[in-house]
Amino acid sequence: MVYETFLETVTSQLQEALGDSYQFMLRPLPKNNGVTLDGLTIQSPDCSVAPTIYLNPYYEQYQRGTDIHEIVHDILRLYRATPTPSFLQTDALDHFSKLRSRIMFRLIHTASNQVLLKDLPHLPYLDLSIVFFISLERNEAGQMTALIHQEHMKRWNITVNDLWEAASRNTPLEYPAEIQSMSDLLREIARKNMGEHYDPELINKLLESEDAAPLYVLSNSNGLYGASCLVYQNVLKDFADHLQADLILLPSSVHEVLLTPNLPDTSYEALSSMVTSINRQEVSPEEQLSNQVYLFSRKDGSLKIVSNAPELVGTAVLS
């Protein structure tokens, strides 16, 4: 089944399952780093807010052999498991005062998102941009968010600084920063995957290396868009003071940043080449953050770019 037929079939079967009172809209939507996904908006008859489900990943499942009926069932399960938040059944979206505590921020790459940023209020940060979203709902099934666009700014009659004032306060509270050593993280992954076969002595032996610089992972407690933690007040400063060293930051993805002490013989360009290569080969285009390497200075608390990497991210992952 070709992609266009797949989209039509899924939409038709969802309409049949939910009934004629539901309205469906299928449209391409711009995402991070120039990626465009096909979003299916499902509008229930008793609510003015409609969730959007992206169908591209489901087509990949179909190509791998998943039955179309199973895919439709999974979409229905997801839709029904995330009911519209009760506060949205009022006029909450029309009033900034009712949403102020739900305003958050995340980081995206500036040069790779020029089209998207034209419609988003944002603040520049190094080669990145701080953009804002509304945290609508969080539960075991995931989270529901909505990017804030220029039309929201006009509706609420606010400025970008109003968004930043709210988001810079809310985001660290809602998504607190966490720093974990890479060795501890790998031990945790091994423990989960190996089960009763987990051998701590063997894992410790595999992870021990006298020459390797210590590596740490900075993210948030949610694990989503955790790279934003590098903007949190004092997070880098406190950790640099803990290590008693300046910090090198390697942007692993929009979800996390790798930290390591800055050593005298460090080659920033070599690290940048490594980050660029990993981005192109391992990280999906939508989740890439930057190819650059950053340096945090303990002396003046500054964060700066110390590499000269390719300007754009979002290059397709090699097969």
Coordinates of all heavy atoms in Angstrom, one line a residue, residues 12 27 49 197 213-214 316:
S12 N -10.2 6.8 7.1 CA -11.5 6.2 6.9 C -11.9 5.3 8.0 O -13.0 5.3 8.5 CB -11.5 5.5 5.5 OG -12.7 4.9 5.3
R27 N -3.2 17.0 7.5 CA -2.4 18.1 6.9 C -0.9 17.9 7.2 O -0.6 17.4 8.3 CB -2.9 19.4 7.3 CG -3.0 19.6 8.8 CD -3.5 20.9 9.3 NE -3.7 21.0 10.7 CZ -3.8 22.1 11.4 NH1 -3.8 23.3 10.8 NH2 -4.0 22.0 12.7
V49 N -11.0 21.9 21.4 CA -9.6 21.6 21.2 C -9.5 20.2 20.7 O -10.1 19.3 21.2 CB -8.9 21.7 22.6 CG1 -7.4 21.4 22.4 CG2 -9.0 23.2 23.1
H197 N 20.7 -12.0 34.4 CA 22.1 -12.3 33.9 C 23.0 -11.1 34.2 O 24.2 -11.2 33.8 CB 22.0 -12.6 32.4 CG 21.2 -13.7 32.1 ND1 21.5 -15.0 32.4 CD2 20.0 -13.8 31.4 CE1 20.5 -15.9 32.0 NE2 19.6 -15.1 31.3
A213 N 38.1 10.5 29.8 CA 37.6 11.6 30.7 C 36.2 11.2 31.1 O 35.5 10.6 30.4 CB 37.7 12.9 29.9
P214 N 35.9 11.6 32.4 CA 34.5 11.3 32.8 C 33.5 12.0 32.0 O 33.7 13.2 31.5 CB 34.5 11.8 34.3 CG 35.7 12.8 34.3 CD 36.7 12.3 33.3
A316 N 19.5 13.9 7.1 CA 18.9 12.6 7.2 C 19.9 11.6 7.7 O 21.0 11.6 7.4 CB 18.3 12.1 5.8

